Amino acid sequence: MSYSCKIIIRDDYVKTNGKCALALQVIIDRKKFRIPIKLDVKPNQFNKIKGIVKAGNGMSKETAHDFNMIAKRELAKANELGIRARLLDKNITKKEFLLKF
């Protein structure tokens, strides 16, 4: 079973307020799906390489830190499911992942 996940910005859809949604992108056995994490930021407030929200451009350091903590918590939860499946030598499907997540 191959598994990976990361935080992405959904910049393919920009809301009327100029913000884009953040999502958790999960890839299981080369099949990609996204889980929204209910955070919105402007595209210039997100570092795509590091997968983090950055302060500036109208966002305070505290708000950026809070957004990153929320995103990292969701990422950790997803990684825990992947690690648990690998340690149990069990394949996990998208449906099982979403039920446990």
Side-chain angles (χ1 to χ4, degrees):
M1 175 186 86
S2 63
Y3 172 83
S4 71
C5 61
K6 65 180 181 177
I7 302 296
I8 62 162
I9 187 166
R10 297 288 313 267
D11 55 1
D12 53 335
Y13 176 75
V14 180
K15 297 180 180 183
T16 55
N17 61 5
K19 295 183 177 182
C20 300
L22 296 183
L24 180 68
Q25 178 177 286
V26 181
I27 303 172
I28 299 175
D29 291 330
R30 298 183 194 161
K31 294 183 178 115
K32 184 188 314 184
F33 60 97
R34 297 176 178 151
I35 302 170
I37 56 175
K38 299 177 184 171
L39 295 175
D40 297 333
V41 297
K42 293 180 181 173
N44 60 0
Q45 295 171 332
F46 188 76
N47 185 328
K48 289 183 178 182
I49 296 169
K50 294 181 181 178
I52 60 171
V53 177
K54 54 186 180 178
N57 300 316
M59 180 175 287
S60 69
K61 287 183 181 181
E62 293 82 16
T63 304
H65 180 70
D66 292 344
F67 277 27
N68 284 323
M69 293 297 287
I70 294 167
K72 287 178 184 178
R73 183 185 64 212
E74 298 298 315
L75 186 61
K77 193 168 33 169
N79 276 326
E80 185 179 335
L81 290 173
I83 290 168
R84 189 173 294 159
R86 189 182 73 220
L87 291 176
L88 294 174
D89 201 24
K90 180 183 174 195
N91 287 337
I92 188 168
T93 63
K94 175 183 174 181
K95 185 177 180 180
E96 290 172 344
F97 181 89
L98 291 173
L99 283 174
K100 292 179 182 180
F101 189 77

